[in-house]
Amino acid sequence: MNRREFLVKSAACLAAGACAGPWARLASLAKAQPAVDLAVVQGPSPRANVRKAISLLGGISAFVRRGDVVVVKPNMAWDRLPEHAANTDPEVVAEIVRLCLEAGARKVKVFDRTCNEARRCYLRSGIQKAAEKEGAEVPFVLEQRFVKMSIPEGEELKSWLFYRDAVEADVLINVPVLKSHSVSGLTIGLKNLMGILGGDRGQLHHRFDKKIVDINTVVRPQLTLLDATRVLLRNGPQGGNLRDVQQMDTVVAGVDRVAVDAYGAVLFGRDPAQLGFLVEAQRRGLGVLDVKRLRVEKVSLAA
């Protein structure tokens, strides 16, 4: 499936009502296509990289409108410092928050259902402090706010618990970190959305490729921005050894989350076609796997 087919499918899905709800903004995105499919920016400043990448996609106003409630979903699942690269870089998250509020967002929420103790993850990742400083709310996830939702297009899962705040937001921006993962090979955008799921997420690791795509047929972020400032090359997802981390100083942004993940795989040195969840996502029409078929604009901000 090429990019045009992907956008047409998204629009058709919305027209049929199958994608109604907070992700209805996809309809306007299908009409106002960015000039490029992926923006890849490399430079020493994570904040500058984010600003440039989003500007190449048409600016934050292409995604966020005045009065919107925005959820920014980073990976801050682990009790690790930023230099360990187990969580999204706090400066990347903070800059997205700043841009959303500058565009007129009524509220920006940043949260994750963590794997380690939440207070330590929020604090040690540096994300809570950086996002709050820019004006975001950074609440802890509460069990009573999960709601059971059906998965009409699910092949393995027919329903699951999703976090109400993510479901009801006007805009969802997915901000994964690129890193290794012992189960999926890599954890990028599609997998990062496990942080808005309730229940026993360990069950998802059996027949993972199909289940994570099932989840992603329901949750459709308007924008995915991949943080590859620091990349955890081994012993993910938790890491903890600085020798496993490589500084890449790169962000990748796009509307097509499969394309963002595929490009992230290439950055990591993996063939996207060898990652089962990406192959499955393309088969089911979630996006484009072959990065050679995408319009990619690369910019270096190196001094």
Side-chain angles (χ1 to χ4, degrees), residues 71-138:
V71 165
V72 175
K73 168 62 182 72
N75 188 325
M76 57 174 168
W78 303 100
D79 180 5
R80 293 288 187 235
L81 297 170
E83 49 265 39
H84 290 125
N87 302 305
T88 306
D89 187 279
E91 293 301 306
V92 167
V93 178
E95 187 62 19
I96 295 172
V97 170
R98 192 189 69 78
L99 290 172
C100 290
L101 291 172
E102 190 175 85
R106 177 164 58 89
K107 184 181 298 184
V108 179
K109 299 180 181 179
V110 178
F111 54 80
D112 196 6
R113 184 186 174 201
T114 62
C115 297
N116 296 143
E117 201 274 321
R119 293 183 186 281
R120 288 187 61 83
C121 294
Y122 277 41
L123 176 65
R124 294 247 294 165
S125 69
I127 292 174
Q128 180 178 30
K129 182 179 180 180
E132 286 181 342
K133 186 177 180 181
E134 294 294 347
E137 296 180 5
V138 190

Side-chain angles (χ1 to χ4, degrees), residues 10 14 19-30 65 169-170 220 222:
S10 297
L14 288 157
C19 305
W23 302 289
R25 190 73 55 82
L26 273 170
S28 61
L29 289 176
R65 298 172 182 170
D170 298 304
R220 296 172 181 265
Q222 283 89 352

Side-chain angles (χ1 to χ4, degrees), residues 178-200:
L178 177 61
K179 61 178 177 177
S180 70
H181 194 283
S182 55
V183 173
S184 57
L186 294 178
T187 175
I188 327 178
L190 271 65
K191 190 176 187 310
N192 192 46
L193 294 178
M194 287 179 68
I196 64 168
L197 302 181
D200 179 5

Side-chain angles (χ1 to χ4, degrees), residues 5-265:
E5 291 166 343
F6 162 68
L7 291 169
V8 168
K9 181 178 176 66
S10 297
C13 174
L14 288 157
C19 305
W23 302 289
R25 190 73 55 82
L26 273 170
S28 61
L29 289 176
K31 295 176 181 176
Q33 299 177 14
V36 298
D37 297 317
L38 294 180
V40 181
V41 182
Q42 191 275 331
S45 166
R47 283 182 177 258
N49 294 344
V50 168
R51 289 195 299 273
K52 185 63 178 179
I54 292 178
S55 73
L56 291 172
L57 296 176
I60 194 66
S61 60
F63 306 97
V64 177
R65 298 172 182 170
R66 186 166 298 280
D68 280 347
V69 174
V70 181
V71 165
V72 175
K73 168 62 182 72
N75 188 325
M76 57 174 168
W78 303 100
D79 180 5
R80 293 288 187 235
L81 297 170
E83 49 265 39
H84 290 125
N87 302 305
T88 306
D89 187 279
E91 293 301 306
V92 167
V93 178
E95 187 62 19
I96 295 172
V97 170
R98 192 189 69 78
L99 290 172
C100 290
L101 291 172
E102 190 175 85
R106 177 164 58 89
K107 184 181 298 184
V108 179
K109 299 180 181 179
V110 178
F111 54 80
D112 196 6
R113 184 186 174 201
T114 62
C115 297
N116 296 143
E117 201 274 321
R119 293 183 186 281
R120 288 187 61 83
C121 294
Y122 277 41
L123 176 65
R124 294 247 294 165
S125 69
I127 292 174
Q128 180 178 30
K129 182 179 180 180
E132 286 181 342
K133 186 177 180 181
E134 294 294 347
E137 296 180 5
V138 190
F140 295 115
V141 168
L142 303 174
E143 287 297 323
Q144 60 267 33
R145 294 193 66 75
F146 285 104
V147 293
K148 189 173 184 179
M149 294 178 60
S150 64
I151 305 176
E153 299 177 62
E155 295 186 3
E156 289 283 337
L157 304 173
K158 293 303 179 184
S159 66
W160 199 267
L161 293 170
F162 293 80
Y163 203 59
R164 179 184 296 277
D165 297 57
V167 172
E168 294 181 346
D170 298 304
V171 180
L172 175 62
I173 300 177
N174 192 18
V175 194
V177 64
L178 177 61
K179 61 178 177 177
S180 70
H181 194 283
S182 55
V183 173
S184 57
L186 294 178
T187 175
I188 327 178
L190 271 65
K191 190 176 187 310
N192 192 46
L193 294 178
M194 287 179 68
I196 64 168
L197 302 181
D200 179 5
R201 294 179 296 184
Q203 295 180 15
L204 301 178
H205 288 149
H206 176 62
R207 299 182 65 78
F208 171 81
D209 295 340
K210 283 185 175 291
K211 289 180 179 177
I212 196 62
V213 174
D214 285 347
I215 294 297
N216 275 269
T217 63
V218 175
V219 184
R220 296 172 181 265
Q222 283 89 352
L223 172 65
T224 298
L225 192 145
L226 171 62
D227 169 36
T229 303
R230 305 177 188 85
V231 176
L232 181 60
L233 300 176
R234 296 171 292 276
N235 299 314
Q238 188 167 4
N241 189 333
L242 294 179
R243 288 178 294 186
D244 292 335
V245 178
Q246 179 178 341
Q247 193 86 20
M248 290 192 181
D249 292 325
T250 300
V251 301
V252 181
V255 173
D256 179 344
R257 62 259 175 90
V258 178
V260 172
D261 277 18
Y263 198 92

Side-chain angles (χ1 to χ4, degrees), residues 236-301:
Q238 188 167 4
N241 189 333
L242 294 179
R243 288 178 294 186
D244 292 335
V245 178
Q246 179 178 341
Q247 193 86 20
M248 290 192 181
D249 292 325
T250 300
V251 301
V252 181
V255 173
D256 179 344
R257 62 259 175 90
V258 178
V260 172
D261 277 18
Y263 198 92
V266 173
L267 271 182
F268 198 92
R270 296 285 302 272
D271 179 358
Q274 298 300 314
L275 294 171
F277 63 96
L278 290 182
V279 174
E280 180 69 13
Q282 176 178 251
R283 181 185 73 80
R284 292 163 67 178
L286 269 64
V288 179
L289 179 65
D290 185 358
V291 297
K292 295 178 182 177
R293 300 173 65 182
L294 299 168
R295 295 172 301 163
V296 181
E297 181 155 354
K298 301 179 184 178
V299 173
S300 173
L301 300 180

